[in-house]
Amino acid sequence: MKPIAYLIILCMSLSLLGKTTLSYRERKKQFDQKISLIFDIRENLSIAEEPTVRNPLEAVKQNVEEAYRAGARAEIEKSLTLAEGEITYVARKLCDRLEDIAADIYQKAQVSHYQMETEEKSSGKKLEWDTKEKISRYLGMAKTEKDHARDFFVSGNYHMSLHTYKRSIVYSLLSLRAQNVNPPEGFTNAANSWAEPIWQSVNKQKLGTIQTN
């Protein structure tokens, strides 16, 4: 009986170890996704790291990578736990910035659309229906995503809030692109990196649901 008991215990231990390892891998995967999104947003919207931040994110990322390379279970858990706390802190602060940025670019797209409609009425030159539909649809999507981003923020899901604010910004930029208006100052990188590839893709196929990273 003892050999069988030992075998059962060994199997249970291996199973538990497998789940633990998978859990670390999943946490690491989620950490990579969250920190990559923050770096992406900062780079393309030229947002500098706040001087009050406790630890620079580059250092946080490096600590996690070093712990993983070392392979010590306790160090991996410690580094991930600290890193997840830092990511949550930074993401929450960044959400506040993106709320203002998303509202700003949405308002600019709205104003530009209003001016375009006014000029259309005064000049008598009608825009193509497809162009008008794109402009309005992108604006509607931008507002919907902006509102959803706020809901995610209130619920404490800061990663999804950032992701959704980014989508809102992309839709506003696409609306401006459909209006043949250059992106406002401060949005050129975001327009080139986020919106333009989507615009080029949409021109090759029917306008549909847009997926962004």
Side-chain angles (χ1 to χ4, degrees), residues 25-53:
R25 289 175 180 172
E26 187 61 31
R27 286 175 65 188
K28 175 64 162 52
K29 181 180 177 181
Q30 291 178 2
F31 168 78
D32 289 340
Q33 292 173 343
K34 290 177 181 179
I35 200 168
S36 294
L37 177 61
I38 291 174
F39 285 147
D40 178 37
I41 290 171
R42 282 180 173 176
E43 178 182 356
N44 286 293
L45 294 176
S46 300
I47 300 175
E49 191 163 48
E50 292 193 21
T52 56
V53 69

Side-chain angles (χ1 to χ4, degrees), residues 29-122:
K29 181 180 177 181
Q30 291 178 2
F31 168 78
D32 289 340
Q33 292 173 343
K34 290 177 181 179
I35 200 168
S36 294
L37 177 61
I38 291 174
F39 285 147
D40 178 37
I41 290 171
R42 282 180 173 176
E43 178 182 356
N44 286 293
L45 294 176
S46 300
I47 300 175
E49 191 163 48
E50 292 193 21
T52 56
V53 69
R54 292 174 290 188
N55 292 309
L57 283 192
E58 285 289 357
V60 172
K61 181 179 180 181
Q62 184 177 350
N63 289 339
V64 171
E65 296 298 337
E66 289 177 353
Y68 254 76
R69 283 196 295 269
R73 177 176 168 179
E75 286 302 313
I76 292 173
E77 182 175 357
K78 179 181 177 181
S79 65
L80 268 177
T81 300
L82 292 173
E84 287 163 349
E86 294 290 344
I87 285 290
T88 299
Y89 174 81
V90 172
R92 188 182 189 284
K93 302 286 283 186
L94 189 56
C95 282
D96 290 334
R97 294 288 304 276
L98 248 63
E99 181 176 17
D100 294 336
I101 291 171
D104 177 51
I105 188 64
Y106 173 69
Q107 183 180 31
K108 285 179 168 62
Q110 269 192 317
V111 170
S112 178
H113 183 217
Y114 174 77
Q115 292 173 341
M116 177 175 284
E117 287 184 323
T118 301
E119 291 173 4
E120 181 187 13
K121 290 177 182 177
S122 62

